[in-house]
């Protein structure tokens, strides 16, 4: 079947919801395929692009995919890639992905596009790989669908972007396996980056209540007031919906919590992330009680102190996104630090060959973090 590729319109929303239900069932945790208001906003967003594949015989929707962007950001996210079960094996997933990248990435509108890909089968990994995306890491227990699933992070860059990465003098030693994996996978070098001992853990805070405010409209307004410049956010393309702070108001942590999917992304902290570094344990504990079995933070690779603080609280370097953000004439590398409070079960993973080294690096770092070093008495 040769499908017709078109830009999605508001008239497609009902059919799109049926498409995502046919592909994912009732447990799809993303508003893009379930919330008509959010779908209307994305279709109208001038910084994003949503394409559909239409069956020429029936006019029905055979597939869908979007690249979400935002004002002031040069990074996009490939989302909602779905092909109806009746139209699989026709190459529609690749056709949609390539059409999106041609319009958003190859034209220079974006510097890079990333995707989080399911690992229940190797098919989704191969689809993005065939369209120029390369693996950057594994995110264990990242989302709850029918069960707790791990995702893989992939990205595709515009020509020349990776050559303009800013140098990083040193990183905490536990990041070394991930850096070596990225070097071999992407053909870039961290030879000038020294792996040094992590900094000592910040002093634990004195006992004080930590409040979580769940008022999405208020959180969004306050967030925009605190961070008018998107360069201060940890995580682009995530709008926070919860605010965490101690009762004395010494800092504010903004996060996006998805209870349906059971995950949370730490987006930003005010006055700065260093002010909340000592509170990572109570922050994570509070989010876990709120339903987040998985918490992640996206931090610059150059921030040795922040990375050390995350490592001290059991966060694992799970993925490395080179040249993620422009900074002056160059680009900054970022690390995805993750922590899961649920048991990790990799037995159901289907890992394509290019992704396997990232899984090995994660397991190595996890083991050195959580398994005790046994000493044999003489």
């Amino acid at each position: 079947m040769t499908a017709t590729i078109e830009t999605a319109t508001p008239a497609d929303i009902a059919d799109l919801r049926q498409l995502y239900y046919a592909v994912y069932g009732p447990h799809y945790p993303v508003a893009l395929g379930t919330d008509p208001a959010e779908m209307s906003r994305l279709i109208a967003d001038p910084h994003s692009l949503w394409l559909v594949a239409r069956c020429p015989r029936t006019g029905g929707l055979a597939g869908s995919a979007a690249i979400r962007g935002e004002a002031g950001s040069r990074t996009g996210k490939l989302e909602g890639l779905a092909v109806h079960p009746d139209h699989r094996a026709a190459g529609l997933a690749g056709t949609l992905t390539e059409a999106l990248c041609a319009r958003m990435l190859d034209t220079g509108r974006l510097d890079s596009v990333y995707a989080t890909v399911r690992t229940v089968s190797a098919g989704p990994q191969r689809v993005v790989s065939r369209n120029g995306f390369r693996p950057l890491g594994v995110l264990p227990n990242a989302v709850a669908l029918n069960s707790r699933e791990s995702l893989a992070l992939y990205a595709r860059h515009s020509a020349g972007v990776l050559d303009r990465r800013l140098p990083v003098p040193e990183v905490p030693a536990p990041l070394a396996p991930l850096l070596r994996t990225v070097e071999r996978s992407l053909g870039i070098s961290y030879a000038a980056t020294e792996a040094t001992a992590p900094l000592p853990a910040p002093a634990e805070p004195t006992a004080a209540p930590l409040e979580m405010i769940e008022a999405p409209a208020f959180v969004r307004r306050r967030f925009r007031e605190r961070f008018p410049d998107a360069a201060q956010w940890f995580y682009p393309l995530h709008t926070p919906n919860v605010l965490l702070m101690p009762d004395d108001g010494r800092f504010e942590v903004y996060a996006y919590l998805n209870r349906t999917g059971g995950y949370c992304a730490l987006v930003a902290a005010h006055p700065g992330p260093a002010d909340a570094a000592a509170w990572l344990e109570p922050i994570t504990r509070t989010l876990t009680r709120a339903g987040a079995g998985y918490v992640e933070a996206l931090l610059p690779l150059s921030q040795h102190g922040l990375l050390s603080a995350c490592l001290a609280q059991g966060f694992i370097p799970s993925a490395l996104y080179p040249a993620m953000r422009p900074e002056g004439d160059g680009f900054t590398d970022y690390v995805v630090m993750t922590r899961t409070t649920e048991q990790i079960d990799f037995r159901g993973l289907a890992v394509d060959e290019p992704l396997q080294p990232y899984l090995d690096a994660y397991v190595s770092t996890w083991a050195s973090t959580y398994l005790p070093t046994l000493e044999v008495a003489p």
Side-chain angles (χ1 to χ4, degrees):
M1 179 190 75
T2 303
T4 303
I5 306 300
E6 302 174 351
T7 303
T9 70
D12 295 319
I13 289 177
D15 290 340
L16 282 165
R17 295 180 70 192
Q18 291 182 0
L19 170 66
Y20 284 101
Y21 188 92
V23 173
Y24 294 106
H27 303 293
Y28 191 54
V30 179
L32 178 147
T34 57
D35 183 343
E38 178 60 25
M39 296 167 77
S40 293
R41 283 192 290 269
L42 184 61
I43 287 172
D45 181 10
H47 308 288
S48 304
L49 177 63
W50 193 337
L51 297 180
V52 296
R54 199 175 299 279
C55 176
R57 180 175 55 84
T58 65
L61 294 188
S64 167
I67 287 180
R68 183 190 299 270
E70 63 186 357
S73 176
R74 300 277 300 171
T75 302
K77 182 181 181 183
L78 178 66
E79 294 186 348
L81 181 59
V83 174
H84 195 282
D86 294 341
H87 297 284
R88 288 174 181 164
L92 283 183
T95 300
L96 283 164
T97 302
E98 188 56 40
L100 284 167
C101 289
R103 301 188 197 187
M104 295 289 283
L105 192 60
D106 297 345
T107 58
R109 288 179 64 181
L110 299 174
D111 294 317
S112 65
V113 171
Y114 73 93
T116 51
V117 182
R118 298 179 74 188
T119 57
V120 291
S121 70
Q125 300 162 47
R126 292 170 182 166
V127 167
V128 293
S129 293
R130 284 195 295 265
N131 286 274
F133 287 74
R134 291 186 283 183
L136 304 179
V138 176
L139 311 176
N141 281 355
V143 65
L145 293 172
N146 294 319
S147 61
R148 180 62 71 171
E149 288 189 17
S150 299
L151 301 177
L153 179 65
Y154 282 72
R156 172 171 163 173
H157 291 77
S158 291
V161 168
L162 286 173
D163 298 328
R164 296 164 57 193
R165 294 166 34 250
L166 296 172
V168 177
E170 63 174 348
V171 297
L175 273 73
L178 180 58
L179 264 63
R180 301 291 85 80
T181 302
V182 171
E183 286 183 317
R184 292 189 294 269
S185 177
L186 302 188
I188 60 180
S189 176
Y190 287 100
T193 301
E194 183 180 2
T196 59
L199 298 178
E204 293 186 7
T206 56
L210 187 66
E211 184 178 15
M212 187 171 82
I213 300 170
E214 292 190 79
F218 165 77
V219 172
R220 285 195 300 270
R221 288 195 303 271
R222 191 173 180 90
F223 177 70
R224 299 292 181 181
E225 293 171 359
R226 294 295 199 191
F227 300 96
D229 181 4
Q232 297 175 283
W233 305 0
F234 302 158
Y235 220 133
L237 304 172
H238 282 65
T239 300
N241 57 4
V242 298
L243 169 62
L244 299 100
M245 59 190 303
D247 58 358
D248 61 8
R250 74 184 73 172
F251 67 82
E252 299 173 0
V253 170
Y254 294 84
Y256 171 74
L257 173 63
N258 186 310
R259 278 197 169 89
T260 304
Y263 64 88
C264 181
L266 302 178
V267 179
H270 179 83
D275 298 280
W279 289 72
L280 272 175
E281 178 59 36
I283 288 170
T284 304
R285 191 165 56 245
T286 300
L287 291 169
T288 299
R289 287 198 299 265
Y294 168 92
V295 178
E296 68 182 14
L298 184 68
L299 299 174
L301 182 61
S302 58
Q303 294 295 320
H304 193 287
L306 291 179
L307 295 173
S308 296
C310 285
L311 290 166
Q313 297 302 333
F315 281 75
I316 305 295
S318 301
L320 176 60
Y321 196 137
M324 183 175 186
R325 267 187 168 152
E327 184 178 330
D329 294 329
F331 288 85
T332 304
D333 297 350
Y334 276 74
V335 182
V336 185
M337 303 292 292
T338 72
R339 176 171 161 176
T340 177
T341 56
E342 301 184 21
Q343 180 178 345
I344 302 173
D345 187 353
F346 287 140
R347 289 175 297 179
L349 255 64
V351 176
D352 204 23
E353 183 178 354
L355 186 62
Q356 183 65 49
Y358 289 96
L359 180 59
D360 295 340
Y362 178 89
V363 170
S364 172
T365 306
W366 185 94
S368 64
T369 300
Y370 285 103
L371 297 184
T373 301
L374 301 179
E375 297 183 4
V376 178

